[in-house]
């Protein structure tokens, strides 16, 4: 099987030979940057370099996907936010962030008719096309969008958003309804460009931030609409403590759900049953970057035993992951992931 | 009679904060002043006592970030009324110290930092909040400008965390007596030590006790004339 057949087979619940080793989130590495002499701070606006770097983790290690973009600012930028690229930072990898908040919390968000033409959206389309041409026959291309609540936190003051979510939920519901549109339009652009699967990242809504009650009343309804509006396969990802909300995540209608290392996989399996495709949990920093080859192998074995259906790190892989650990990740998946 | 009234109002201030009821806190604070009670007592035995309970509720996962932020608004509403009535010399005496706080460059995760800041303010520290994604030099400048006792740095990512080491070095170089407190999910006691910091805490309430411990050591040393 090719990585593409394996990943898409998994997401369609077809029979596959072993669990795939892939992700729907960031997975570029310092080794990849060295290989093509690319600076992280400059790659976000250069289509060719971005495509090269996205494909490099497959080419270097056999990691079974290529995912773009690498940051969380795509939608906010297209809506008009100014981005900090950290071009001046030489000796460190910093992820782009949003410089100033676009609107006052609670205010109407103006969604331009020509959203698809704004910011880096045309470029992302191009990058996905380049990836398709390069490795698209054998490797699945992934892309992602932010969940509406997390996107709201990117374009307005998060503290204020959290407070009005409590005090004026109607206002927030109205805003989130508009942002569902943004998420589905961006996902559609990514899909039409050739993305094989879309991850919806709602990392602003774990239970270390908001209550499960607020998740259910304010976040879940918009996630359901977002997922409805995106062509399958779709993976819903939330970072942080997801133990109290994993059943609610499972009700959102995604083809798979993804959690990070704070999730108790065994309990989650009991709660959601065996039908749902469950991904994640493998610690992208403490194991992949800090751990030894043996730690990585143990972690792969452990998460498979606890019931994940794919080896997929709990969040973006940290670029300075040691090459031997990336190799171990892929090899351990081949070793322990066989499906009879 | 007046003791009863006092007790009743303190309870109102406290409960108003816990139930994030700004109006209730304002009303109680105004009555407190009208009765001629001591402003400082209202702040610490009423408002701050309420916020302490809020901190516990957060740690127990009964309150979440939005609830804590609303409690903070209730607290600030009360502070706005009571603070102008605090006697100057008393406010100096009560002052625990000054803190510069911020999330380091490249990092926009500020939810945790904001909660730590809140605990400091509640306890009577004067807090200079630089916000998030703060250029490393800015911490050094702000410490010098305010002559703060403590610089508290937050980072939620392993890449931005390394920036803390540089801040510690730069500050200690200018002024070795400034106390530096580090926190945020990727940090640990060991890392904080390795970076040359004076303290570390895993959560907001420990951040506060750690800060208090550091400041009292500093004062102790100053008293003895060691620094
Ligand atoms: C919410 C969130 C976001 C929000 C942040 C919103 C905001 N304004 O803060 C958004 C969506 C913007 C975001 C963005 C990103 N995120 Co994020 N995010 C999270 C998440 C889910 C929760 C963090 C949180 O707020 N927790 C709740 C608060 C209350 O807890 P806390 O921050 O830990 O604070 C407590 C203590 O740490 C301590 N404390 C905190 N500060 C201080 C300071 C002092 C002095 C002291 C003493 C104590 C102290 O006290 C606090 C209260 O108890 C975590 C997941 C996780 N597992 O933690 C990921 C996480 C932090 N994010 C991560 C990543 C990778 C990113 C991105 C790089 C993704 C990308 N590809 O762009 C970007 C980074 C952008 C940037 N350059 O900063 C990773 C970091 C991995 C790593 N090892 O470095 C995490 C850990 C997710 C994961 N599972 O891997 N994220």
């Amino acid at each position: 099987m090719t990585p593409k057949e394996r990943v898409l087979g998994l997401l369609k619940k077809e029979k596959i030979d072993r669990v795939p080793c892939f992700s729907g989130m960031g997975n570029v590495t310092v080794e990849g940057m060295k290989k093509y002499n690319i600076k992280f701070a400059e790659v976000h606006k250069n289509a060719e370099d971005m495509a090269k770097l996205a494909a490099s983790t497959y080419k270097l290690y056999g990691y079974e996907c290529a995912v773009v973009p690498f940051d969380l600012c795509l939608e906010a930028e297209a809506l008009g936010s100014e981005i900090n690229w950290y071009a001046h930072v030489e000796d460190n990898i910093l992820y782009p962030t949003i410089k100033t908040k676009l609107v006052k919390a609670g205010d109407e968000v103006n969604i331009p008719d020509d959203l698809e033409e704004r910011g880096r959206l045309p470029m992302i389309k191009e990058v996905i096309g380049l990836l398709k041409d390069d490795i698209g026959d054998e490797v699945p291309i992934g892309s992602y969008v932010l969940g509406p609540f997390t996107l709201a936190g990117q374009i307005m003051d998060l503290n204020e958003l959290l407070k009005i979510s409590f005090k004026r939920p109607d206002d927030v519901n109205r805003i989130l309804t508009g942002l569902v549109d943004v998420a589905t339009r961006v996902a559609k652009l990514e899909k039409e460009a050739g993305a094989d699967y879309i991850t919806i990242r709602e990392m602003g809504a774990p239970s270390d931030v908001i209550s499960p009650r607020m998740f259910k009343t304010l976040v879940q309804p918009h996630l359901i609409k977002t997922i409805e509006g995106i062509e399958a396969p779709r993976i819903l990802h939330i970072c942080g403590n997801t133990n109290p909300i994993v059943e609610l995540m499972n009700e959102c209608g995604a083809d798979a759900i993804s959690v990070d290392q704070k999730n108790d996989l065994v309990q989650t399996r009991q709660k959601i049953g065996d039908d749902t495709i469950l991904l994640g949990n493998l610690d992208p920093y403490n194991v992949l970057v800090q751990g030894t080859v043996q730690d990585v192998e143990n972690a792969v074995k452990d998460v498979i035993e606890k019931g994940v259906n794919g080896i997929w790190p709990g969040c973006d892989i940290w670029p300075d992951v040691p090459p031997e650990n990336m190799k171990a990740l892929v090899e351990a998946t081949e070793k322990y992931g066989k499906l009879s | 009679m007046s003791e009863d009234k006092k007790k009743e109002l303190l309870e109102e201030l406290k409960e108003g904060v816990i139930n994030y009821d700004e109006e209730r806190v304002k009303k109680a604070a105004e009555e407190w002043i009208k009765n001629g009670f001591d402003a400082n007592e209202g702040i610490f035995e009423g408002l701050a006592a309420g916020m302490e309970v809020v901190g516990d509720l957060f740690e127990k996962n009964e309150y979440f970030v939005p609830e804590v932020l609303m409690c903070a608004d209730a607290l600030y509403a009360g502070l706005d009324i009571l603070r102008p009535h605090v006697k100057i010399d008393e406010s100096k005496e009560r002052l625990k110290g000054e803190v510069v706080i911020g999330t380091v460059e490249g990092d926009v995760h500020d939810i945790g930092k904001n909660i730590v800041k809140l605990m400091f303010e509640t306890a009577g520290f004067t807090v200079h909040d630089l916000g998030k994604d703060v250029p490393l030099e800015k911490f050094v400048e702000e410490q010098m400008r305010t002559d703060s006792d403590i610089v508290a740095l937050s980072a939620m990512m392993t890449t931005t965390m390394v920036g803390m080491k540089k801040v510690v070095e730069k500050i200690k170089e200018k002024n070795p007596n400034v106390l530096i407190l580090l926190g945020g999910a990727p940090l640990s006691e060991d890392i904080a030590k390795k970076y040359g910091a004076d303290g570390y805490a895993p959560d907001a309430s420990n951040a506060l006790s750690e800060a208090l411990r550091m400041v009292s050591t500093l004062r102790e040393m100053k008293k003895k004339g060691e620094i």
Side-chain angles (χ1 to χ4, degrees), chain A residues 86 91-92 163 209 285 318, chain B residues 65 73 114 133 158-159 166:
Chain A
Y86 301 104
D91 55 343
N92 200 354
K163 283 191 275 187
V209 181
Y285 185 74
W318 228 233
Chain B
V65 179
D73 279 355
N114 289 338
D133 192 14
T158 33
T159 42
K166 293 183 197 158

Side-chain angles (χ1 to χ4, degrees), chain A residues 7-210:
Chain A
V7 165
L8 297 183
L10 168 74
L11 296 172
K12 283 186 209 146
K13 297 193 179 167
E14 291 168 0
K15 212 170 149 45
I16 48 175
D17 56 350
R18 65 160 169 81
V19 305
C21 182
F22 75 123
S23 167
M25 297 176 283
N27 58 64
V28 298
T29 66
V30 171
E31 292 302 311
M33 293 174 216
K34 277 195 218 150
K35 182 176 155 107
Y36 295 111
N37 197 16
I38 290 170
K39 283 203 183 109
F40 193 64
E42 289 165 4
V43 74
H44 311 289
K45 285 185 284 187
N46 181 326
E48 273 172 30
D49 280 356
M50 187 183 260
K52 269 191 223 156
L53 190 57
S56 67
T57 317
Y58 166 70
K59 290 181 180 170
L60 285 167
Y61 308 108
Y63 195 64
E64 299 179 274
C65 63
V67 180
V68 286
F70 310 140
D71 64 309
L72 303 181
C73 304
L74 198 66
E75 297 93 327
E77 187 192 12
L79 288 170
S81 302
E82 227 186 290
I83 309 301
N84 204 345
W85 308 102
Y86 301 104
H88 64 286
V89 177
E90 281 288 328
D91 55 343
N92 200 354
I93 289 176
L94 296 183
Y95 280 83
T97 56
I98 288 151
K99 251 188 206 158
T100 44
K101 298 291 177 168
L102 194 62
V103 295
K104 216 176 125 257
D107 281 4
E108 214 58 54
V109 183
N110 174 34
I111 300 164
D113 289 337
D114 62 344
L115 181 77
E116 288 78 0
E117 302 304 320
R118 301 215 174 205
R120 283 173 296 153
L121 288 178
M123 186 201 123
I124 285 298
K125 215 161 111 181
E126 188 189 338
V127 177
I128 294 175
L130 289 169
L131 281 168
K132 271 302 219 216
D133 290 344
D134 184 14
I135 53 171
D137 287 340
E138 74 236 49
V139 182
I141 313 298
S143 193
Y144 55 78
V145 294
L146 293 184
F149 191 75
T150 305
L151 178 53
Q154 295 280 68
I155 56 181
M156 54 190 71
D157 183 79
L158 184 64
N159 278 348
E160 291 304 317
L161 172 68
L162 292 173
K163 283 191 275 187
I164 59 171
S165 294
F166 216 98
K167 291 190 214 164
R168 288 154 38 208
D170 290 349
D171 284 353
V172 176
N173 267 318
R174 198 169 22 80
I175 293 164
L176 295 182
T177 303
L179 296 179
V180 167
D181 255 10
V182 175
T184 53
R185 281 171 68 177
V186 172
K188 185 160 182 253
L189 172 139
E190 293 167 343
K191 268 265 149 152
E192 284 175 358
D196 295 299
Y197 59 99
I198 303 287
T199 305
I200 296 98
R201 304 180 68 167
E202 191 65 296
M203 58 210 285
S207 305
D208 352 41
V209 181
I210 63 169

Side-chain angles (χ1 to χ4, degrees), chain B residues 98-101 127-130 134 136-148 150-151 171:
Chain B
E98 293 201 25
V99 186
V100 173
I101 195 168
V127 183
H128 308 279
D129 183 8
L130 295 174
V134 180
L136 305 180
E137 280 296 338
K138 194 98 206 328
F139 287 102
V140 185
E141 285 162 22
E142 185 70 2
Q143 190 282 323
M144 305 243 276
R145 190 186 70 78
T146 58
D147 194 26
S148 289
I150 296 181
V151 178
I171 291 180

Side-chain angles (χ1 to χ4, degrees), chain B residues 28-90:
Chain B
E30 270 154 15
E31 246 185 276
W32 182 267
I33 298 300
K34 236 184 267 157
N35 278 280
F37 297 142
D38 174 46
N40 238 324
E41 194 179 338
I43 292 174
F44 285 96
E45 312 300 323
L47 298 176
M51 206 59 208
E52 231 168 83
V53 176
V54 173
D56 282 346
L57 290 171
F58 177 69
E59 237 110 88
K60 280 195 249 156
N61 285 330
E62 282 176 44
Y63 271 13
F64 297 84
V65 179
E67 287 89 333
V68 174
L69 293 173
M70 288 194 298
C71 295
D73 279 355
L75 171 102
Y76 291 133
L79 279 180
D80 281 348
I81 296 169
L82 297 179
R83 243 186 208 152
H85 298 273
V86 174
K87 293 181 209 90
I88 299 298
D89 52 335
E90 208 181 313

Side-chain angles (χ1 to χ4, degrees), chain A residues 70-72 95-97 144 150 154 158 201 203-204 206 208-209 239-240 260-262 284-285 314-316 318, chain B residues 58-59 65 106-113 115-116 152-154 156-158 181-185 201-204 207:
Chain A
F70 310 140
D71 64 309
L72 303 181
Y95 280 83
T97 56
Y144 55 78
T150 305
Q154 295 280 68
L158 184 64
R201 304 180 68 167
M203 58 210 285
D208 352 41
V209 181
C239 274
D260 84 358
Q261 56 278 11
K262 283 193 176 174
Y285 185 74
C315 196
D316 303 79
W318 228 233
Chain B
F58 177 69
E59 237 110 88
V65 179
D107 206 325
V108 295
H109 296 94
D110 64 350
I111 299 173
K113 183 267 298 170
I115 291 175
V116 173
L153 306 172
S154 178
M156 284 296 285
M157 295 191 295
T158 33
L181 179 63
L182 305 185
D203 55 37

